[in-house]
Amino acid sequence: QRQMCIRDRSNTARYSPPERLVGEREDWTSDVYSLALIAAEVATGLPVYDGSREEILADARAGAAAERL
């Protein structure tokens, strides 16, 4: 019997660039930003941003990632 894979999008905001969270146009730098967030999490074992979509967006705008890293 074949199992269906259901994607859980509940944590994708933590890897999204700020422009995606506010609905602005993205370019290749958006992908680099997302990849950097994933690389930082792999290196440290902790997510750079955590919380709700609104909290993540506020942290990104405030530069909170620099404080955590």
Side-chain angles (χ1 to χ4, degrees):
Q1 185 179 24
R2 196 176 232 195
Q3 290 185 348
M4 212 164 98
C5 179
I6 298 174
R7 295 180 66 184
D8 179 14
R9 296 180 175 257
S10 60
N11 289 323
T12 57
R14 76 169 54 162
Y15 307 111
S16 296
E19 54 270 23
R20 181 176 301 157
L21 297 175
V22 296
E24 293 178 1
R25 186 174 178 192
E26 298 178 42
D27 61 13
W28 65 272
T29 60
S30 304
D31 294 332
V32 173
Y33 181 92
S34 296
L35 183 58
L37 291 176
I38 293 168
E41 184 170 337
V42 169
T44 65
L46 299 169
V48 175
Y49 297 115
D50 202 8
S52 70
R53 179 184 168 125
E54 291 77 21
E55 292 169 331
I56 291 170
L57 183 56
D59 283 351
R61 286 184 174 160
E67 296 171 11
R68 291 189 185 105
L69 298 176

